Amino acid sequence: MSAWWIAAVVSLWAVVMIVGVILLGFLRRVTAVLERAEAAVTSGQVNLGGAYVGMQMDAFIALDRSGREVSSDDLFASPATYLLLHSGCEPCHRLIEKLGQLAAATPVIAILDESPNSRELELPGGILPLFDRDGSVGRAFKNGGTPQAFAVLPGGFVAETLVPGSAEDIEKLSSRLTEGGDAVVESSEVVRVA
């Protein structure tokens, strides 16, 4: 092997090592940013374009499995937890798989897109599926992405929101509606029902 080949191999080795160090440093920084973003989104501290705490929901019409219209006035007569899902959303499918043992304190109403795929989704018992025929439900909840969950007080007032990742998240959100009173109180971290 000539001196030129040895120099080329050593140079190539040095370049690969430098690129590796730069890549590892970049990955460390990006990983930290992604972890903080995920923590903020799952804690409910970031609004993804959905309805906000204290907001009164606009009226809408949804459809049940049989195609019968269900009015928001009927739904907002009592407290409930609303779970917005989409048939093409992979996180929604993973969440549905985790909802088998859901024991929410208030009714849980799943709002799905009106599509054949949504109608085929198998939701656990105890979750009322409704379908957004014309997009009015998505507009009322100011849906910015799925899955999203909303604790809604009688009269259609949003008590709390979050991006759920498990049945426990839905149960915690639902329990906020039964903690007493109907005033919405702000804490330093999360807005919740007092």
Side-chain angles (χ1 to χ4, degrees), residues 72-128:
S72 58
D73 293 337
D74 296 334
L75 296 171
F76 295 154
S78 60
T81 302
Y82 293 83
L83 181 59
L84 273 66
L85 303 168
H86 192 277
S87 61
C89 163
E90 187 58 37
C92 296
H93 289 279
R94 287 194 304 266
L95 177 62
I96 290 170
E97 291 171 4
K98 297 176 183 177
L99 295 179
Q101 302 300 323
L102 182 66
T106 59
V108 176
I109 300 168
I111 306 291
L112 300 149
D113 58 299
E114 174 62 21
S115 71
N117 291 340
S118 289
R119 296 225 176 237
E120 293 174 6
L121 287 175
E122 303 235 358
L123 294 172
I127 297 178
L128 172 66

Short mmCIF file of all heavy atoms in Angstrom, two decimals, residues 72-128:
data_model
loop_
_atom_site.label_atom_id
_atom_site.label_comp_id
_atom_site.label_asym_id
_atom_site.label_seq_id
_atom_site.Cartn_x
_atom_site.Cartn_y
_atom_site.Cartn_z
N SER A 72 -76.36 18.58 19.93
CA SER A 72 -75.46 18.96 21.02
C SER A 72 -76.24 19.42 22.24
O SER A 72 -75.78 19.25 23.37
CB SER A 72 -74.50 20.07 20.56
OG SER A 72 -75.23 21.20 20.12
N ASP A 73 -77.44 19.97 22.04
CA ASP A 73 -78.26 20.37 23.19
C ASP A 73 -78.59 19.17 24.07
O ASP A 73 -78.55 19.25 25.29
CB ASP A 73 -79.57 21.02 22.71
CG ASP A 73 -79.33 22.35 22.01
OD1 ASP A 73 -78.27 22.98 22.27
OD2 ASP A 73 -80.19 22.76 21.20
N ASP A 74 -78.88 18.03 23.45
CA ASP A 74 -79.15 16.81 24.20
C ASP A 74 -77.88 16.32 24.90
O ASP A 74 -77.91 15.88 26.05
CB ASP A 74 -79.68 15.70 23.29
CG ASP A 74 -81.03 16.06 22.67
OD1 ASP A 74 -81.77 16.87 23.27
OD2 ASP A 74 -81.31 15.54 21.57
N LEU A 75 -76.75 16.38 24.19
CA LEU A 75 -75.49 15.90 24.76
C LEU A 75 -75.01 16.77 25.91
O LEU A 75 -74.46 16.27 26.90
CB LEU A 75 -74.42 15.83 23.67
CG LEU A 75 -74.66 14.83 22.54
CD1 LEU A 75 -73.64 15.04 21.44
CD2 LEU A 75 -74.61 13.41 23.07
N PHE A 76 -75.19 18.08 25.80
CA PHE A 76 -74.68 19.01 26.81
C PHE A 76 -75.62 19.16 28.01
O PHE A 76 -75.39 20.00 28.87
CB PHE A 76 -74.42 20.38 26.20
CG PHE A 76 -73.32 20.39 25.17
CD1 PHE A 76 -73.30 21.35 24.18
CD2 PHE A 76 -72.30 19.45 25.19
CE1 PHE A 76 -72.29 21.38 23.23
CE2 PHE A 76 -71.28 19.46 24.24
CZ PHE A 76 -71.29 20.43 23.26
N ALA A 77 -76.66 18.33 28.09
CA ALA A 77 -77.56 18.38 29.24
C ALA A 77 -76.89 17.87 30.51
O ALA A 77 -77.28 18.22 31.62
CB ALA A 77 -78.83 17.59 28.95
N SER A 78 -75.88 17.03 30.36
CA SER A 78 -75.17 16.49 31.52
C SER A 78 -73.68 16.46 31.22
O SER A 78 -73.27 16.49 30.06
CB SER A 78 -75.69 15.07 31.84
OG SER A 78 -75.47 14.23 30.73
N PRO A 79 -72.84 16.38 32.26
CA PRO A 79 -71.39 16.36 32.02
C PRO A 79 -70.97 15.09 31.30
O PRO A 79 -71.53 14.02 31.53
CB PRO A 79 -70.79 16.43 33.42
CG PRO A 79 -71.85 15.93 34.33
CD PRO A 79 -73.16 16.27 33.69
N ALA A 80 -69.99 15.23 30.43
CA ALA A 80 -69.49 14.07 29.68
C ALA A 80 -68.07 14.36 29.22
O ALA A 80 -67.63 15.50 29.15
CB ALA A 80 -70.38 13.77 28.48
N THR A 81 -67.37 13.29 28.90
CA THR A 81 -66.02 13.38 28.34
C THR A 81 -66.14 13.05 26.86
O THR A 81 -66.70 12.02 26.49
CB THR A 81 -65.07 12.40 29.04
OG1 THR A 81 -65.06 12.70 30.44
CG2 THR A 81 -63.67 12.51 28.49
N TYR A 82 -65.62 13.94 26.02
CA TYR A 82 -65.68 13.76 24.58
C TYR A 82 -64.29 13.40 24.07
O TYR A 82 -63.31 14.05 24.41
CB TYR A 82 -66.18 15.04 23.89
CG TYR A 82 -67.62 15.32 24.21
CD1 TYR A 82 -67.97 15.97 25.39
CD2 TYR A 82 -68.64 14.89 23.37
CE1 TYR A 82 -69.30 16.20 25.71
CE2 TYR A 82 -69.96 15.13 23.68
CZ TYR A 82 -70.29 15.78 24.86
OH TYR A 82 -71.60 16.00 25.17
N LEU A 83 -64.23 12.36 23.27
CA LEU A 83 -62.99 11.86 22.73
C LEU A 83 -63.06 11.95 21.22
O LEU A 83 -63.88 11.28 20.59
CB LEU A 83 -62.80 10.41 23.18
CG LEU A 83 -61.56 9.66 22.75
CD1 LEU A 83 -60.30 10.38 23.24
CD2 LEU A 83 -61.60 8.25 23.30
N LEU A 84 -62.26 12.83 20.62
CA LEU A 84 -62.26 13.01 19.17
C LEU A 84 -61.21 12.08 18.56
O LEU A 84 -60.04 12.12 18.93
CB LEU A 84 -61.96 14.46 18.80
CG LEU A 84 -63.19 15.38 18.75
CD1 LEU A 84 -63.82 15.54 20.11
CD2 LEU A 84 -62.86 16.70 18.15
N LEU A 85 -61.69 11.24 17.62
CA LEU A 85 -60.85 10.23 16.98
C LEU A 85 -61.03 10.31 15.47
O LEU A 85 -62.04 10.85 15.00
CB LEU A 85 -61.23 8.83 17.46
CG LEU A 85 -61.18 8.58 18.96
CD1 LEU A 85 -61.87 7.27 19.31
CD2 LEU A 85 -59.74 8.57 19.44
N HIS A 86 -60.09 9.76 14.74
CA HIS A 86 -60.20 9.70 13.28
C HIS A 86 -59.76 8.32 12.82
O HIS A 86 -58.80 7.75 13.36
CB HIS A 86 -59.32 10.78 12.64
CG HIS A 86 -59.60 10.98 11.20
ND1 HIS A 86 -59.06 10.19 10.21
CD2 HIS A 86 -60.40 11.88 10.56
CE1 HIS A 86 -59.49 10.59 9.03
NE2 HIS A 86 -60.31 11.62 9.21
N SER A 87 -60.45 7.80 11.84
CA SER A 87 -60.16 6.43 11.37
C SER A 87 -58.78 6.29 10.78
O SER A 87 -58.20 5.21 10.80
CB SER A 87 -61.21 5.99 10.36
OG SER A 87 -61.19 6.85 9.22
N GLY A 88 -58.20 7.36 10.25
CA GLY A 88 -56.88 7.28 9.64
C GLY A 88 -55.75 7.66 10.58
O GLY A 88 -54.61 7.81 10.15
N CYS A 89 -56.04 7.77 11.86
CA CYS A 89 -55.07 8.24 12.85
C CYS A 89 -54.49 7.04 13.61
O CYS A 89 -55.21 6.38 14.36
CB CYS A 89 -55.78 9.21 13.79
SG CYS A 89 -54.97 9.55 15.35
N GLU A 90 -53.19 6.77 13.42
CA GLU A 90 -52.56 5.63 14.08
C GLU A 90 -52.55 5.77 15.61
O GLU A 90 -52.84 4.81 16.31
CB GLU A 90 -51.15 5.41 13.53
CG GLU A 90 -50.50 4.15 14.04
CD GLU A 90 -51.29 2.88 13.73
OE1 GLU A 90 -51.90 2.80 12.64
OE2 GLU A 90 -51.32 1.97 14.58
N PRO A 91 -52.25 6.97 16.17
CA PRO A 91 -52.34 7.10 17.63
C PRO A 91 -53.76 6.83 18.15
O PRO A 91 -53.92 6.33 19.26
CB PRO A 91 -51.91 8.55 17.89
CG PRO A 91 -51.05 8.90 16.74
CD PRO A 91 -51.64 8.16 15.57
N CYS A 92 -54.77 7.15 17.35
CA CYS A 92 -56.15 6.88 17.75
C CYS A 92 -56.39 5.37 17.85
O CYS A 92 -57.03 4.89 18.79
CB CYS A 92 -57.13 7.49 16.76
SG CYS A 92 -57.08 9.28 16.67
N HIS A 93 -55.86 4.61 16.89
CA HIS A 93 -56.02 3.15 16.91
C HIS A 93 -55.32 2.55 18.14
O HIS A 93 -55.86 1.66 18.79
CB HIS A 93 -55.47 2.52 15.63
CG HIS A 93 -56.31 2.80 14.42
ND1 HIS A 93 -57.45 2.10 14.13
CD2 HIS A 93 -56.19 3.74 13.46
CE1 HIS A 93 -57.99 2.57 13.02
NE2 HIS A 93 -57.24 3.58 12.59
N ARG A 94 -54.13 3.07 18.46
CA ARG A 94 -53.42 2.57 19.65
C ARG A 94 -54.18 2.91 20.92
O ARG A 94 -54.24 2.11 21.84
CB ARG A 94 -51.99 3.13 19.69
CG ARG A 94 -51.08 2.51 18.65
CD ARG A 94 -49.62 2.81 18.91
NE ARG A 94 -49.32 4.23 18.97
CZ ARG A 94 -48.90 4.98 17.97
NH1 ARG A 94 -48.74 4.44 16.77
NH2 ARG A 94 -48.64 6.26 18.13
N LEU A 95 -54.78 4.11 20.96
CA LEU A 95 -55.57 4.51 22.13
C LEU A 95 -56.79 3.62 22.28
O LEU A 95 -57.10 3.17 23.39
CB LEU A 95 -55.99 5.98 22.02
CG LEU A 95 -56.88 6.51 23.13
CD1 LEU A 95 -56.17 6.44 24.48
CD2 LEU A 95 -57.31 7.94 22.83
N ILE A 96 -57.48 3.33 21.19
CA ILE A 96 -58.68 2.49 21.24
C ILE A 96 -58.34 1.12 21.82
O ILE A 96 -59.09 0.56 22.61
CB ILE A 96 -59.34 2.38 19.85
CG1 ILE A 96 -59.96 3.72 19.46
CG2 ILE A 96 -60.38 1.26 19.82
CD1 ILE A 96 -60.42 3.80 18.01
N GLU A 97 -57.17 0.59 21.45
CA GLU A 97 -56.75 -0.71 21.97
C GLU A 97 -56.56 -0.68 23.49
O GLU A 97 -56.73 -1.69 24.16
CB GLU A 97 -55.44 -1.14 21.32
CG GLU A 97 -55.57 -1.49 19.85
CD GLU A 97 -54.23 -1.70 19.17
OE1 GLU A 97 -53.18 -1.64 19.86
OE2 GLU A 97 -54.23 -1.91 17.94
N LYS A 98 -56.23 0.49 24.04
CA LYS A 98 -55.97 0.63 25.48
C LYS A 98 -57.23 0.95 26.28
O LYS A 98 -57.17 1.01 27.51
CB LYS A 98 -54.95 1.74 25.72
CG LYS A 98 -53.60 1.46 25.11
CD LYS A 98 -52.68 2.65 25.32
CE LYS A 98 -51.34 2.43 24.65
NZ LYS A 98 -50.47 3.61 24.78
N LEU A 99 -58.36 1.14 25.63
CA LEU A 99 -59.57 1.58 26.33
C LEU A 99 -60.44 0.44 26.82
O LEU A 99 -61.53 0.67 27.34
CB LEU A 99 -60.40 2.49 25.42
CG LEU A 99 -59.76 3.82 25.05
CD1 LEU A 99 -60.69 4.61 24.13
CD2 LEU A 99 -59.42 4.63 26.28
N GLY A 100 -60.00 -0.79 26.71
CA GLY A 100 -60.80 -1.94 27.11
C GLY A 100 -61.25 -1.92 28.56
O GLY A 100 -62.34 -2.35 28.89
N GLN A 101 -60.42 -1.43 29.46
CA GLN A 101 -60.74 -1.42 30.90
C GLN A 101 -61.14 -0.04 31.39
O GLN A 101 -60.98 0.28 32.56
CB GLN A 101 -59.53 -1.93 31.69
CG GLN A 101 -59.08 -3.33 31.30
CD GLN A 101 -60.17 -4.35 31.53
OE1 GLN A 101 -60.93 -4.28 32.49
NE2 GLN A 101 -60.27 -5.32 30.62
N LEU A 102 -61.66 0.80 30.51
CA LEU A 102 -62.03 2.16 30.86
C LEU A 102 -63.14 2.17 31.90
O LEU A 102 -64.16 1.51 31.73
CB LEU A 102 -62.47 2.93 29.61
CG LEU A 102 -62.84 4.39 29.80
CD1 LEU A 102 -61.60 5.20 30.21
CD2 LEU A 102 -63.41 4.96 28.51
N ALA A 103 -62.92 2.90 32.99
CA ALA A 103 -63.93 3.04 34.05
C ALA A 103 -64.08 4.52 34.36
O ALA A 103 -63.67 5.01 35.40
CB ALA A 103 -63.50 2.27 35.29
N ALA A 104 -64.65 5.26 33.43
CA ALA A 104 -64.78 6.71 33.57
C ALA A 104 -65.91 7.05 34.52
O ALA A 104 -66.91 6.34 34.64
CB ALA A 104 -65.01 7.35 32.21
N ALA A 105 -65.76 8.20 35.21
CA ALA A 105 -66.75 8.66 36.17
C ALA A 105 -67.97 9.27 35.48
O ALA A 105 -69.04 9.38 36.08
CB ALA A 105 -66.12 9.68 37.12
N THR A 106 -67.81 9.72 34.26
CA THR A 106 -68.91 10.31 33.49
C THR A 106 -68.98 9.59 32.14
O THR A 106 -68.05 8.90 31.76
CB THR A 106 -68.67 11.82 33.25
OG1 THR A 106 -67.45 11.98 32.55
CG2 THR A 106 -68.63 12.59 34.57
N PRO A 107 -70.08 9.79 31.41
CA PRO A 107 -70.16 9.15 30.09
C PRO A 107 -69.01 9.59 29.18
O PRO A 107 -68.58 10.74 29.23
CB PRO A 107 -71.50 9.66 29.54
CG PRO A 107 -72.29 10.08 30.73
CD PRO A 107 -71.29 10.54 31.75
N VAL A 108 -68.53 8.67 28.36
CA VAL A 108 -67.49 8.97 27.38
C VAL A 108 -68.13 8.84 26.01
O VAL A 108 -68.69 7.81 25.66
CB VAL A 108 -66.29 8.02 27.52
CG1 VAL A 108 -65.26 8.30 26.43
CG2 VAL A 108 -65.65 8.15 28.90
N ILE A 109 -68.02 9.92 25.24
CA ILE A 109 -68.61 9.98 23.91
C ILE A 109 -67.47 10.11 22.90
O ILE A 109 -66.70 11.07 22.96
CB ILE A 109 -69.59 11.15 23.79
CG1 ILE A 109 -70.71 10.98 24.82
CG2 ILE A 109 -70.13 11.27 22.38
CD1 ILE A 109 -71.59 12.19 25.02
N ALA A 110 -67.37 9.15 22.01
CA ALA A 110 -66.33 9.18 20.98
C ALA A 110 -66.92 9.82 19.73
O ALA A 110 -67.96 9.39 19.23
CB ALA A 110 -65.83 7.78 20.67
N ILE A 111 -66.26 10.85 19.24
CA ILE A 111 -66.68 11.51 18.00
C ILE A 111 -65.72 11.06 16.91
O ILE A 111 -64.52 11.28 16.99
CB ILE A 111 -66.63 13.05 18.13
CG1 ILE A 111 -67.44 13.53 19.35
CG2 ILE A 111 -67.08 13.70 16.84
CD1 ILE A 111 -68.92 13.37 19.23
N LEU A 112 -66.27 10.40 15.89
CA LEU A 112 -65.47 9.84 14.80
C LEU A 112 -65.85 10.49 13.49
O LEU A 112 -66.96 11.01 13.35
CB LEU A 112 -65.72 8.33 14.70
CG LEU A 112 -65.37 7.53 15.96
CD1 LEU A 112 -66.28 6.34 16.09
CD2 LEU A 112 -63.93 7.11 15.89
N ASP A 113 -64.94 10.44 12.52
CA ASP A 113 -65.26 10.93 11.19
C ASP A 113 -66.30 10.00 10.56
O ASP A 113 -66.37 8.82 10.88
CB ASP A 113 -64.00 11.01 10.33
CG ASP A 113 -63.29 9.68 10.22
OD1 ASP A 113 -62.87 9.14 11.25
OD2 ASP A 113 -63.15 9.18 9.08
N GLU A 114 -67.11 10.54 9.69
CA GLU A 114 -68.15 9.75 9.02
C GLU A 114 -67.52 9.06 7.82
O GLU A 114 -67.37 9.63 6.75
CB GLU A 114 -69.30 10.65 8.58
CG GLU A 114 -70.38 9.99 7.76
CD GLU A 114 -71.12 8.87 8.48
OE1 GLU A 114 -71.12 8.82 9.72
OE2 GLU A 114 -71.71 8.04 7.79
N SER A 115 -67.08 7.83 8.04
CA SER A 115 -66.47 7.05 6.96
C SER A 115 -66.72 5.57 7.23
O SER A 115 -66.97 5.18 8.37
CB SER A 115 -64.96 7.32 6.88
OG SER A 115 -64.31 6.73 7.98
N PRO A 116 -66.64 4.74 6.20
CA PRO A 116 -66.82 3.29 6.43
C PRO A 116 -65.78 2.73 7.41
O PRO A 116 -66.11 1.87 8.22
CB PRO A 116 -66.63 2.69 5.03
CG PRO A 116 -66.97 3.79 4.08
CD PRO A 116 -66.53 5.05 4.77
N ASN A 117 -64.55 3.23 7.37
CA ASN A 117 -63.52 2.76 8.30
C ASN A 117 -63.87 3.08 9.74
O ASN A 117 -63.60 2.29 10.65
CB ASN A 117 -62.15 3.35 7.94
CG ASN A 117 -61.61 2.80 6.64
OD1 ASN A 117 -62.03 1.74 6.19
ND2 ASN A 117 -60.70 3.52 6.04
N SER A 118 -64.45 4.26 9.98
CA SER A 118 -64.85 4.63 11.34
C SER A 118 -65.96 3.73 11.85
O SER A 118 -65.97 3.36 13.02
CB SER A 118 -65.32 6.08 11.39
OG SER A 118 -64.25 6.95 11.22
N ARG A 119 -66.87 3.41 10.97
CA ARG A 119 -67.99 2.55 11.39
C ARG A 119 -67.52 1.14 11.74
O ARG A 119 -68.16 0.45 12.51
CB ARG A 119 -69.04 2.50 10.29
CG ARG A 119 -69.66 3.88 10.05
CD ARG A 119 -71.12 3.78 9.95
NE ARG A 119 -71.71 5.10 9.81
CZ ARG A 119 -72.63 5.54 10.65
NH1 ARG A 119 -73.02 4.80 11.65
NH2 ARG A 119 -73.15 6.72 10.48
N GLU A 120 -66.39 0.73 11.20
CA GLU A 120 -65.84 -0.60 11.49
C GLU A 120 -65.00 -0.64 12.75
O GLU A 120 -64.67 -1.72 13.24
CB GLU A 120 -65.01 -1.08 10.30
CG GLU A 120 -65.84 -1.35 9.06
CD GLU A 120 -64.98 -1.69 7.85
OE1 GLU A 120 -63.75 -1.83 7.99
OE2 GLU A 120 -65.56 -1.81 6.75
N LEU A 121 -64.63 0.53 13.29
CA LEU A 121 -63.82 0.54 14.51
C LEU A 121 -64.60 -0.08 15.67
O LEU A 121 -65.78 0.22 15.86
CB LEU A 121 -63.42 1.98 14.89
CG LEU A 121 -62.35 2.63 14.02
CD1 LEU A 121 -62.15 4.08 14.44
CD2 LEU A 121 -61.04 1.87 14.12
N GLU A 122 -63.94 -0.92 16.42
CA GLU A 122 -64.57 -1.58 17.55
C GLU A 122 -64.21 -0.84 18.83
O GLU A 122 -63.12 -1.01 19.37
CB GLU A 122 -64.11 -3.03 17.62
CG GLU A 122 -64.39 -3.78 16.35
CD GLU A 122 -65.20 -5.03 16.59
OE1 GLU A 122 -65.51 -5.34 17.75
OE2 GLU A 122 -65.49 -5.69 15.59
N LEU A 123 -65.13 -0.01 19.30
CA LEU A 123 -64.93 0.71 20.55
C LEU A 123 -65.40 -0.15 21.71
O LEU A 123 -66.38 -0.89 21.58
CB LEU A 123 -65.70 2.03 20.54
CG LEU A 123 -65.23 3.06 19.53
CD1 LEU A 123 -66.19 4.24 19.48
CD2 LEU A 123 -63.84 3.54 19.87
N PRO A 124 -64.73 -0.06 22.85
CA PRO A 124 -65.17 -0.83 24.02
C PRO A 124 -66.57 -0.41 24.46
O PRO A 124 -67.00 0.71 24.20
CB PRO A 124 -64.15 -0.46 25.10
CG PRO A 124 -63.01 0.15 24.38
CD PRO A 124 -63.55 0.72 23.12
N GLY A 125 -67.27 -1.32 25.11
CA GLY A 125 -68.58 -1.00 25.66
C GLY A 125 -68.46 0.15 26.65
O GLY A 125 -67.43 0.34 27.28
N GLY A 126 -69.48 0.93 26.77
CA GLY A 126 -69.44 2.08 27.67
C GLY A 126 -69.02 3.36 26.98
O GLY A 126 -69.11 4.43 27.57
N ILE A 127 -68.55 3.25 25.75
CA ILE A 127 -68.20 4.45 24.98
C ILE A 127 -69.24 4.60 23.88
O ILE A 127 -69.45 3.70 23.07
CB ILE A 127 -66.79 4.34 24.37
CG1 ILE A 127 -65.75 4.24 25.47
CG2 ILE A 127 -66.52 5.54 23.47
CD1 ILE A 127 -64.33 4.10 24.97
N LEU A 128 -69.92 5.75 23.87
CA LEU A 128 -70.95 6.02 22.88
C LEU A 128 -70.30 6.58 21.63
O LEU A 128 -69.71 7.66 21.67
CB LEU A 128 -71.97 7.02 23.43
CG LEU A 128 -73.00 7.55 22.44
CD1 LEU A 128 -73.92 6.42 21.99
CD2 LEU A 128 -73.79 8.69 23.04
#
